[in-house]
Amino acid sequence: RAMPARPTDNTAMKPIAQDVVEHKTRQFSNHPIIMKNSFLIWAHMQRLHHLMTPELRQDLDELLKHSVKITQAMIEIACMREWFYT
C-alpha cells in the first residue's frame, strides 16, 4: 500500500487491464493501489511485461522483492482459518 500512485498510472494500466485474464473475481475493486498491484502481479504471471511502462515495471520489481513475505503471510492466514484447499 505504500507504493505511490502516479497521475499517469490510469493511462498506463489500461492495456494491462484489457489483456490480463483474472481467474478469480476481484474483491477489492474500490482500492486503487490494491487493484494496480493485483493487475501487475497478474500481468507478471501471464508474461505481459511488454505492456508495462518503465515506471510500472519498477513498481512490479518492488512488489516482487516482497513476494516471499507476502506468500508466507497468505499461507499462514489460510492455515489459521483452515482454508487448506485454497
Side-chain angles (χ1 to χ4, degrees):
R1 291 185 187 181
M3 199 164 295
R6 296 179 209 83
T8 57
D9 281 348
N10 285 342
T11 306
M13 290 298 294
K14 282 183 183 175
I16 294 171
Q18 290 173 350
D19 282 13
V20 162
V21 176
E22 293 180 273
H23 298 280
K24 185 176 183 286
T25 306
R26 239 180 288 146
Q27 294 178 338
F28 299 102
S29 59
N30 56 347
H31 299 286
I33 198 69
I34 294 174
M35 285 182 57
K36 173 185 166 184
N37 292 345
S38 297
F39 274 121
L40 288 176
I41 291 170
W42 277 116
H44 171 69
M45 291 190 296
Q46 295 172 22
R47 299 180 181 188
L48 299 174
H49 299 99
H50 63 281
L51 297 175
M52 296 180 195
T53 62
E55 293 84 12
L56 291 178
R57 186 60 192 254
Q58 288 176 349
D59 291 347
L60 173 64
D61 290 342
E62 188 64 30
L63 276 173
L64 293 176
K65 287 179 189 176
H66 302 287
S67 63
V68 173
K69 291 182 205 173
I70 293 168
T71 303
Q72 288 174 339
M74 290 168 60
I75 292 170
E76 286 178 20
I77 291 169
C79 289
M80 286 185 328
R81 296 186 180 184
E82 298 181 359
W83 295 340
F84 299 116
Y85 299 107
T86 56

